[in-house]
Amino acid sequence: MNSLLEIRNLRTRFHTEDGIVKAVNGISYSLNIGEILGVVGESGCGKSVHALSIMRLIPIPPGEIAGGEVIFEDRDLIKLSSAEIRQVRGRDIAMVFQDPMTSLNPVYTVGFQIMEALTLHLGMTKEQARERAGELLSMVGIPDAPRRLDDYPHQFSGGMRQRAMIAMALSCTPKLLIADEPTTALDVTIQAQIVDLVRRLQEELGMAVMWITHDLGVVADIAHKINVMYAGYIIERGLVRDIYKNTRHPYTSGLLGSLPRLDEAPGTKLVSIPGLPPDLVDLPLGCPFYARCIYRVQQCLEEMPTLEEADGKDHTVACWRWEQIAERTE
């Protein structure tokens, strides 16, 4: 498979009164054409900030992309001018945010907001854009789509607003769709519908998808590969089956242990990870998971591990003791 997106040593900082928040700390990975990547981790781990960095949507100040490269189709998005990156956003890379009510402008109709991208990026006339907008709303499962183009966001339910956001994101047939926790504010039934919708559209359009979530149950159902993030680092990366069946990092193991399972005996307790994530203003010298890890040794306190192959090149882990952990868990 050919690489569509290549992240190289990406670092993002926020300058605050308390100090410099190290939100993303030198992450590197690639995303292939037509691949679905899940990015998981608890709140504050850098999932959304790294996606906003890719789109160059970090507010500057107080934010700053402090280093690294974001290579998309042989161009470094970090080095593009403001005008050039605006041509990429919406046309080549589109993003769906967590809360559609705050993403959609309440004073414009849903149809106008979809049509705007079509006229801006594809040069369509108003009539062509309206017809295409109706087709897009139908494609994402909104009934009586041509009539609903004239409705405002408050006239749509939460699930329908998220579908409208997906329609807007897909309006220019992007090569990469970034979905930043798009189902968090929705009930479980609607969540499943949105996941099925994105999976179907990905297969039909052949686009790559980055699905950002804290829910490992959702990502297992849609992703090909997973990046597990903690304190701004990628601490484990691999194919879905490797992450779930051959977990090598104690943090990933803790996340999976917190998921309720139907095949467990009644009364089985969920696993909890003790402690709290580190302060991103004052990150430790060594592994950021050190204070919460039951496998820790002195080396973990003194030196940050880098990603290395655990079970082949498609499964990497940043842990000094992953081999010992593998022996205990198998």
Side-chain angles (χ1 to χ4, degrees):
M1 298 179 72
N2 296 322
S3 176
L4 175 68
L5 178 71
E6 188 83 24
I7 308 293
R8 301 173 184 167
N9 197 31
L10 179 65
R11 293 179 290 114
T12 303
R13 305 285 183 260
F14 289 93
H15 299 267
T16 71
E17 293 181 356
D18 295 327
I20 299 175
V21 177
K22 303 173 184 69
V24 179
N25 298 305
I27 65 173
S28 300
Y29 68 89
S30 61
L31 176 62
N32 294 323
I33 295 170
E35 186 175 69
I36 303 178
L37 171 68
V39 181
V40 301
E42 59 195 316
S43 297
C45 71
K47 306 185 301 295
S48 297
V49 171
H50 114 273
L52 293 172
S53 300
I54 292 171
M55 297 285 285
R56 292 265 304 276
L57 291 174
I58 296 294
I60 301 173
E64 172 196 14
I65 299 176
E69 298 174 302
V70 177
I71 308 300
F72 180 80
E73 293 191 319
D74 300 323
R75 289 195 297 172
D76 186 357
L77 301 186
I78 304 299
K79 295 180 179 178
L80 296 185
S81 67
S82 298
E84 289 171 328
I85 194 65
R86 281 197 297 269
Q87 291 299 313
V88 173
R89 295 191 202 117
R91 187 182 66 182
D92 296 321
I93 306 176
M95 193 164 182
V96 178
F97 297 92
Q98 179 174 338
D99 186 358
M101 197 61 199
T102 57
S103 301
L104 291 166
N105 193 320
V107 302
Y108 291 108
T109 65
V110 170
F112 174 85
Q113 294 180 68
I114 298 174
M115 291 164 59
E116 187 176 29
L118 295 168
T119 55
L120 176 65
H121 290 299
L122 302 183
M124 290 186 178
T125 64
K126 184 177 180 180
E127 292 73 21
Q128 291 171 330
R130 183 177 177 85
E131 182 179 354
R132 178 57 178 159
E135 293 173 355
L136 288 163
L137 285 186
S138 296
M139 184 173 67
V140 297
I142 293 181
D144 198 13
R147 184 183 65 81
R148 299 308 301 269
L149 289 173
D150 296 319
D151 287 345
Y152 289 85
H154 73 270
Q155 295 174 278
F156 281 56
S157 67
M160 290 177 69
R161 283 195 293 268
Q162 197 59 285
R163 288 172 183 267
M165 281 298 301
I166 293 171
M168 189 184 307
L170 299 179
S171 59
C172 298
T173 317
K175 296 164 185 175
L176 171 60
L177 174 67
I178 300 176
D180 186 8
E181 304 210 35
T183 62
T184 299
L186 307 175
D187 63 57
V188 176
T189 303
I190 304 301
Q191 280 186 28
Q193 292 176 3
I194 296 297
V195 170
D196 289 341
L197 170 64
V198 172
R199 187 193 297 110
R200 175 176 60 82
L201 293 173
Q202 186 273 335
E203 291 174 353
E204 291 178 0
L205 302 175
M207 63 183 173
V209 175
M210 182 186 297
W211 189 282
I212 299 169
T213 182
H214 63 271
D215 190 337
L216 274 79
V218 170
V219 82
D221 196 36
I222 190 171
H224 302 136
K225 289 183 180 178
I226 297 177
N227 287 349
V228 182
M229 291 192 67
Y230 185 79
Y233 297 93
I234 294 176
I235 51 92
E236 189 164 9
R237 170 174 165 80
L239 299 173
V240 169
R241 65 175 180 270
D242 291 331
I243 296 296
Y244 282 76
K245 293 184 178 180
N246 302 310
T247 309
R248 296 296 179 247
H249 198 284
Y251 175 67
T252 311
S253 181
L255 289 180
L256 291 172
S258 67
L259 286 176
R261 296 171 59 102
L262 294 175
D263 58 353
E264 289 181 333
T268 301
K269 292 184 178 180
L270 298 177
V271 174
S272 62
I273 303 175
L276 295 170
D279 183 356
L280 296 181
V281 173
D282 186 25
L283 281 172
L285 178 65
C287 175
F289 193 62
Y290 174 84
R292 309 173 74 184
C293 184
I294 61 173
Y295 298 98
R296 64 193 179 200
V297 293
Q298 186 64 24
Q299 185 182 17
C300 305
L301 179 63
E302 298 171 350
E303 189 178 357
M304 174 65 194
T306 57
L307 285 170
E308 62 174 285
E309 293 182 8
D311 301 290
K313 64 179 181 180
D314 289 329
H315 189 185
T316 55
V317 61
C319 179
W320 293 119
R321 304 202 65 207
W322 71 263
E323 291 173 310
Q324 291 87 346
I325 294 170
E327 291 174 359
R328 294 185 185 185
T329 56
E330 288 178 353

